[in-house]
Amino acid sequence: MNEFKHFINGAYVASASGKTFENRCPVDNSLIGQVHEAGREEVDQAVNAAKAALKGPWGKMTQADRTAMLNRVAERINERFDEFLEAECRDTGKPYSIASHIDIPRGAANFKAFSETLANHPTEAFKLDTPDGLGALNVGQRTPKGVIAVISPWNLPLLLMTFKVGPALACGNTVVVKPSEETPATTTLLGEVMNECGVPPGVFNVIHGFGPNSAGEFLTTHPLVNAITFTGETRTGEAIMKAASVGLRNISMELGGKNPAIVFADCDLEKAVEGTMRSAFVNCGQVCLGTERVYVERPVYDAFLKRMKEQVAKLKLGRPEDPAANFGPLVSLEHRNKVKYYYDLAVEEGATVEIGGGIPDMGEEMNAGAWIEPTIWTGLSDDARVIREEIFGPCCHIRPFDTEDEAIQLANDTEYGLAAAIWTENSSRAIRVAEQIEAGLVWVNSWFLRDLRTAFGGAKQSGIGREGGVHGLEFYTELKNICIKL
Ligand code: NAD
Ligand code: 6OD
């Protein structure tokens, strides 16, 4: 039986209250272990440890030494790859074939890429002319913000948590992480790696628990937290923003999406089908960047829909360790209930269920798990709730369009603005359309192709701020201008 404790000041600690909650595997609902739930006491210990560590050896380390240490963390994750892989797949149910290509390699890369990018970023300097002819030199100095609270979700647990911890530490901050209550394992394991790599105690801390009236709320309201970086639902983001307003703490928010794909008749249809299959169904549709609305130009609509249905029928549901499986369960029974609610709502709202729509029979060993069928709908009106609300499951609605302007209008007809995909072989059209899409990320003839030097974040209700590459500097550092009269 596993026990997931908090990681505070370089050591694993139990909750003083003795309070724990269950962690279950969504493949078959088997018990993985017990997770300690932090009360105010543990959160306070973690934040104080993080505060103290800023003044210790970590705070005195050169950027070069910090970069070397974070590179070592990346290497050590790769050395312990199989442990991370097993832990991640047990928590989420996702296939090894996916996590071994996406989650774990990116979990490691996030430490290397961001520390190197930030270490090589130039310092801003301006020479000002002054009437005496001697001038003044302005030099920008970046210092760490301090203690950063990192609140992360369950869909790509290691990847999304390290996407924030990597740059936060690279900039010299210390962190207190609250991973999702659904997926505590890899964040807990990372504590061991930090110790193995000589990261000083207090630099990386982990507390477990839920959101409201639990670890999440206690952390985001803690007065010694200097900034909060959050990935999760838009409504949770609103609650965290309120918490951050006390003491005017900085926030960075990566939130929900209802992302469109636009498939033009001049696309390479096979590539468009392959890309849309991934964007709608990989990770059981639990990717914030995933496509839930697909708009297809009428001349290729029937062919596209037919090919999509053929490909969905070929998805192989199975246990994470099954090498043939490319489709796992949803993260939990609770989330399965939510997604199934939308499946039923789609029918009520008048959808034609082209494929899927139900709960598959996975046999006696797995029927207790959080399985759901990959699903395609057509025929919904543009104001249906299923078209407007984020479902976060393996499903999409496919609708025809006739003109470029109509496609752009449909794509933008949402309160969200995270990502979009455009499929066309006409590069002028690709640029023209991409420029008019209201989203933080637009892919042309690809999806989730990531260059870690680029900005990542959402427009409209999909987020506040940008992280990634040097863009995280604005959030993770304080920029001071020093003006020296010559
Ligand atoms: P969630 O908002 O329910 O939870 C995210 C985290 O916030 C969890 O750790 C949770 O315990 C914590 N939390 C909840 N309420 C809180 C509160 N009041 N105070 C402090 N912490 C609180 O999200 P989820 O269900 O874990 O993840 C799925 C959502 O995340 C989807 O909406 C998805 O689009 C979004 N997401 C966005 C991105 C992005 O980059 N934009 C990436 C992944 C997921
Ligand atoms: O690739 C990334 O850096 C990133 N933040 C991906 C987010 C995926 C959302 O589920």
Side-chain angles (χ1 to χ4, degrees):
M1 167 75 65
N2 291 296
E3 202 182 350
F4 299 95
K5 293 184 179 167
H6 316 295
F7 183 73
I8 300 176
N9 212 18
Y12 287 98
V13 293
S15 287
S17 66
K19 240 171 123 177
T20 61
F21 58 94
E22 287 182 345
N23 178 24
R24 289 191 174 267
C25 174
V27 173
D28 51 12
N29 203 32
S30 57
L31 188 63
I32 298 173
Q34 295 290 331
V35 189
H36 285 256
E37 183 180 353
R40 286 191 192 276
E41 191 177 335
E42 289 77 33
V43 172
D44 201 42
Q45 282 168 13
V47 175
N48 278 303
K51 188 91 194 159
L54 288 165
K55 300 259 181 258
W58 180 250
K60 298 180 180 69
M61 210 176 262
T62 62
Q63 176 85 49
D65 287 346
R66 251 192 345 245
T67 304
M69 190 172 265
L70 295 176
N71 277 337
R72 179 75 196 113
V73 170
E75 280 166 20
R76 192 67 189 134
I77 293 173
N78 282 326
E79 285 163 10
R80 298 185 65 175
F81 194 95
D82 290 348
E83 287 170 79
F84 276 96
L85 181 65
E86 200 193 315
E88 198 75 314
C89 293
R90 205 171 38 214
D91 262 3
T92 58
K94 66 178 84 187
Y96 281 21
S97 58
I98 291 172
S100 63
H101 283 99
I102 302 176
D103 302 65
I104 313 305
R106 264 298 301 281
N110 283 340
F111 284 102
K112 193 168 158 51
F114 294 122
S115 56
E116 289 181 352
T117 303
L118 299 177
N120 290 312
H121 191 64
T123 303
E124 157 179 305
F126 294 104
K127 172 109 185 286
L128 176 76
D129 290 335
T130 53
D132 61 9
L134 295 174
L137 194 59
N138 289 277
V139 181
Q141 185 207 16
R142 288 195 181 271
T143 50
K145 273 257 163 68
V147 177
I148 310 286
V150 177
I151 315 263
S152 50
W154 44 256
N155 60 321
L156 301 164
L158 184 70
L159 187 161
L160 291 172
M161 178 267 298
T162 54
F163 181 62
K164 291 167 177 302
V165 171
L169 297 189
C171 291
N173 299 285
T174 58
V175 297
V176 180
V177 182
K178 198 211 77 66
S180 168
E181 53 275 28
E182 303 287 358
T183 51
T186 46
T187 309
T188 309
L189 191 53
L190 190 57
E192 282 183 25
V193 167
M194 293 288 175
N195 282 348
E196 287 165 354
C197 297
V199 176
V203 171
F204 174 80
N205 306 276
V206 180
I207 47 142
H208 292 295
F210 303 87
N213 201 27
S214 181
E217 185 183 320
F218 303 153
L219 179 59
T220 52
T221 54
H222 197 290
L224 294 184
V225 165
N226 299 100
I228 303 167
T229 178
F230 168 71
T231 303
E233 282 188 23
T234 297
R235 297 289 88 83
T236 312
E238 287 174 351
I240 290 178
M241 214 168 158
K242 276 191 200 134
S245 73
V246 179
L248 285 179
R249 273 90 52 74
N250 273 204
I251 47 167
S252 170
M253 302 229 154
E254 285 158 10
L255 308 174
K258 187 76 185 176
N259 309 304
I262 305 177
V263 180
F264 287 101
D266 60 12
C267 73
D268 176 326
L269 198 68
E270 284 313 304
K271 284 189 194 152
V273 168
E274 189 273 329
T276 310
M277 280 299 297
R278 278 196 301 120
S279 71
F281 299 110
V282 77
N283 209 37
C284 204
Q286 302 164 121
V287 182
C288 60
L289 309 162
T291 302
E292 291 192 2
R293 297 179 294 136
V294 186
Y295 301 108
V296 186
E297 201 168 0
R298 205 171 297 272
V300 293
Y301 175 80
D302 288 340
F304 180 87
L305 178 59
K306 179 169 174 285
R307 291 288 293 128
M308 286 289 290
K309 284 164 66 173
E310 286 165 4
Q311 294 305 309
V312 166
K314 287 187 195 158
L315 287 171
K316 172 86 171 69
L317 282 63
R319 286 189 175 277
E321 59 278 13
D322 175 352
N326 57 8
F327 191 91
L330 291 165
V331 75
S332 64
L333 290 172
E334 186 188 349
H335 189 54
R336 205 263 303 268
N337 289 344
K338 176 187 157 186
V339 175
K340 184 63 171 60
Y341 166 81
Y342 279 103
Y343 279 23
D344 296 340
L345 182 63
V347 174
E348 272 174 46
E349 290 187 309
T352 300
V353 181
E354 298 286 349
I355 190 164
I359 292 174
D361 182 357
M362 297 299 295
E364 207 178 312
E365 280 191 0
M366 289 191 277
N367 268 345
W371 297 90
I372 196 129
E373 287 175 346
T375 295
I376 294 178
W377 303 291
T378 56
L380 282 170
S381 70
D382 298 326
D383 60 359
R385 282 183 57 204
V386 166
I387 297 296
R388 310 205 72 80
E389 297 174 16
E390 182 186 48
I391 301 172
F392 220 56
C395 51
C396 64
H397 179 261
I398 307 184
R399 174 211 198 280
F401 70 86
D402 294 297
T403 67
E404 191 177 296
D405 283 348
E406 183 193 6
I408 295 166
Q409 181 273 322
L410 287 166
N412 287 339
D413 184 16
T414 168
E415 64 188 18
Y416 292 107
L418 188 55
I422 299 169
W423 300 91
T424 175
E425 292 296 299
N426 177 337
S427 52
S428 304
R429 161 178 272 165
I431 294 169
R432 188 169 64 235
V433 175
E435 284 181 347
Q436 293 176 76
I437 296 292
E438 297 164 359
L441 303 125
V442 178
W443 277 286
V444 176
N445 296 331
S446 62
W447 178 76
F448 209 162
L449 186 56
R450 293 277 289 116
D451 179 331
L452 298 184
R453 293 167 299 185
T454 59
F456 185 96
K460 293 153 87 174
Q461 291 201 26
S462 289
I464 296 180
R466 294 290 181 272
E467 298 199 33
V470 296
H471 305 281
L473 276 173
E474 292 311 320
F475 176 71
Y476 290 112
T477 62
E478 206 62 70
L479 178 59
K480 180 193 299 169
N481 186 62
I482 303 175
C483 179
I484 308 156
K485 176 73 182 71
L486 300 175

